[in-house]
Amino acid sequence: MLDVRFDPTHSGPLRGLRVLDLSRLVAGNMLSLQLADFGAEVIKVEDPDGGDTLRQWRERGPNHPEGVPVWWKVYARNKKSLAIDLRSEPGRAALRTLAAGAQVLIESFRPGTLEKMGLAPEALLALNPKLVIVRLTGWGQTGPYHQQPGFGSLVEAMSGFAAKNGAPEAPPMLPNMALADMVAGLYGAFAVAAAVREVETNGGAGQVIDLSLLEPLLSIMGPDAAAHHVSGQVPARTGNRTSITAPRNIYRTKGGDWVALSASTQGMTERLLRAIGRAELIDDPRFRTNADRLAHVDALDAVVGGFIGERTLEENLAFFREREVTVGPVYHIGQIVADPHVVARGIVVRAPDADTGALPMHAVVPRLSRTPGGLARPAPRLGEHTLELLRGAGLSEAAIQALIDQKLIAP
């Protein structure tokens, strides 16, 4: 694993972009991470009493009985922390001062909360007409559900993901990761880039981005709505198979490991059947076309799985890779971080960490040839940059001391 150092002098293509991130949990942090990794100055605006909830998500181990906030350390890297009480008017006044000099503001409150705080988009845009405001919620700013809580698990259920995920005989299955949040964060980063370009290149004004968790996840579900309209059928749960192409599955190897195989073109299927010594099946009426193979997928999987089951994982990988058949190992995280390709490309890096000495995390993606992203600073302590940022915004020492005296900031 590649060891890296945080380089505070690193400057990416988004240098000069100031982002105020008022969000909590995963989606907003995923969004602002993309911007921070490429040089934006992302300021996490946190409650002095505990900060972002991600700080509380801790991983415990033999050497760390109190737990390490790994979510925070990974998704808050490259960011600054301003701990200020926005429930107070002095705190909100300080935020307005910061917003006047920012290009982006991200929030994930329930619809209407900003308005109650006196920070409605209209007021912020009056203060800073070029500000891009991201409003991140479960269901959006409008519609019958807009006031309902919207955690990602609910969205993953309602989007159709859970209904088509899992084995045919099993219940619908939610992902064991923050899928809806992650997808929304990526969509949000693109939306910010588009809106900032409108301001900077096209001479436009700022605007509000209404970003729900539901719509991004629904958009990556494939053409399910169109398929349902045409066929009248709902997608079936197919486990590791797919209703689109066959063969596509995971297969158990000799020794108990697993490989994934996808022969999603006619040419690849024919190459696979020749490789395993079953070229005669290419013209078998059960397997001649993709539609034929889908109709007889049990028989096809028995042929492919039988061949794979007679060989170890290493033997299968070597055999199929030599013949350019599309297979890959089913890894757990301990295996993927040690994979020679992952190591050679530095896909996972190990960065200095105050709690663990060195902490693995994903490298910056994607890779830009001329102005790549990088690691400038570790995830901040709560309020680590409060005084620096307030002074930089022009607040007087007396005003800052008043905030300290009232316990409205964590310096």
Side-chain angles (χ1 to χ4, degrees), residues 1-215:
M1 192 180 301
L2 179 66
D3 287 304
V4 297
R5 294 286 176 184
F6 290 103
D7 178 7
T9 67
H10 181 271
S11 178
L14 297 182
R15 62 189 177 277
L17 186 72
R18 172 169 274 200
V19 180
L20 301 178
D21 184 0
L22 283 62
S23 71
R24 299 292 182 268
L25 295 172
V26 180
N29 276 300
M30 180 63 167
L31 193 170
S32 60
L33 176 68
Q34 311 315 307
L35 308 177
D37 277 356
F38 286 95
E41 182 190 25
V42 173
I43 300 167
K44 285 293 301 180
V45 182
E46 304 183 75
D47 192 316
D49 183 17
D52 193 308
T53 308
L54 283 193
R55 293 181 180 273
Q56 314 310 319
W57 291 7
R58 294 174 171 268
E59 190 71 25
R60 290 168 175 80
N63 298 323
H64 304 284
E66 299 301 316
V68 177
V70 292
W71 279 82
W72 176 255
K73 288 177 180 290
V74 173
Y75 289 95
R77 70 187 186 194
N78 287 335
K79 302 176 186 180
K80 297 180 178 180
S81 173
L82 168 67
I84 190 164
D85 188 351
L86 295 181
R87 292 166 295 188
S88 69
E89 181 49 38
R92 294 192 291 269
L95 181 70
R96 291 187 193 97
T97 301
L98 286 163
Q103 286 74 50
V104 180
L105 184 144
I106 304 166
E107 63 98 359
S108 61
F109 300 118
R110 186 175 293 194
T113 301
L114 271 191
E115 288 79 358
K116 293 176 182 176
M117 296 167 66
L119 299 170
E122 295 79 10
L124 292 172
L125 288 169
L127 182 68
N128 181 353
K130 294 186 179 296
L131 185 65
V132 172
I133 302 170
V134 183
R135 309 200 72 176
L136 177 57
T137 60
W139 313 108
Q141 296 294 316
T142 61
Y145 304 149
H146 79 284
Q147 283 292 339
Q148 294 187 13
F151 288 143
S153 297
L154 306 184
V155 168
E156 288 147 8
M158 185 172 169
S159 66
F161 177 87
K164 64 186 297 185
N165 190 38
E169 69 281 0
M173 183 175 292
L174 294 169
N176 63 351
M177 57 175 287
L179 181 64
D181 293 78
M182 295 298 189
V183 174
L186 294 173
Y187 267 79
F190 167 75
V192 166
V196 169
R197 177 177 170 82
E198 166 67 12
V199 170
E200 296 182 345
T201 303
N202 299 332
Q207 58 185 301
V208 177
I209 298 170
D210 181 358
L211 178 63
S212 76
L213 299 186
L214 176 62
E215 291 153 73

Side-chain angles (χ1 to χ4, degrees), residues 383-402:
E384 180 177 345
H385 305 93
T386 299
L387 299 182
E388 167 199 328
L389 292 165
L390 293 181
R391 287 170 178 149
L395 269 70
S396 67
E397 290 299 321
I400 293 173
Q401 187 60 49

Side-chain angles (χ1 to χ4, degrees), residues 244-247 263-264 266 287-295:
I244 301 169
T245 186
S264 55
Q266 184 67 25
F287 310 131
R288 186 176 295 127
T289 69
N290 187 58
D292 295 331
R293 293 190 291 274
L294 286 169

Side-chain angles (χ1 to χ4, degrees), residues 272-329:
L272 164 66
L273 293 175
R274 291 190 183 98
I276 65 175
R278 300 300 304 272
E280 79 280 3
L281 297 180
I282 294 173
D283 293 320
D284 189 308
R286 298 172 299 167
F287 310 131
R288 186 176 295 127
T289 69
N290 187 58
D292 295 331
R293 293 190 291 274
L294 286 169
H296 300 90
V297 67
D298 288 339
L300 181 59
D301 273 345
V303 172
V304 176
F307 182 91
I308 290 173
E310 295 173 352
R311 292 158 180 80
T312 66
L313 173 63
E314 293 75 16
E315 290 169 342
N316 275 293
L317 294 178
F319 178 89
F320 287 116
R321 285 172 176 171
E322 181 181 351
R323 291 156 180 81
E324 298 185 344
V325 174
T326 44
V327 300

Side-chain angles (χ1 to χ4, degrees), residues 223-236 243:
D224 284 357
H228 174 65
H229 176 75
V230 172
S231 68
Q233 304 296 312
V234 298
S243 61

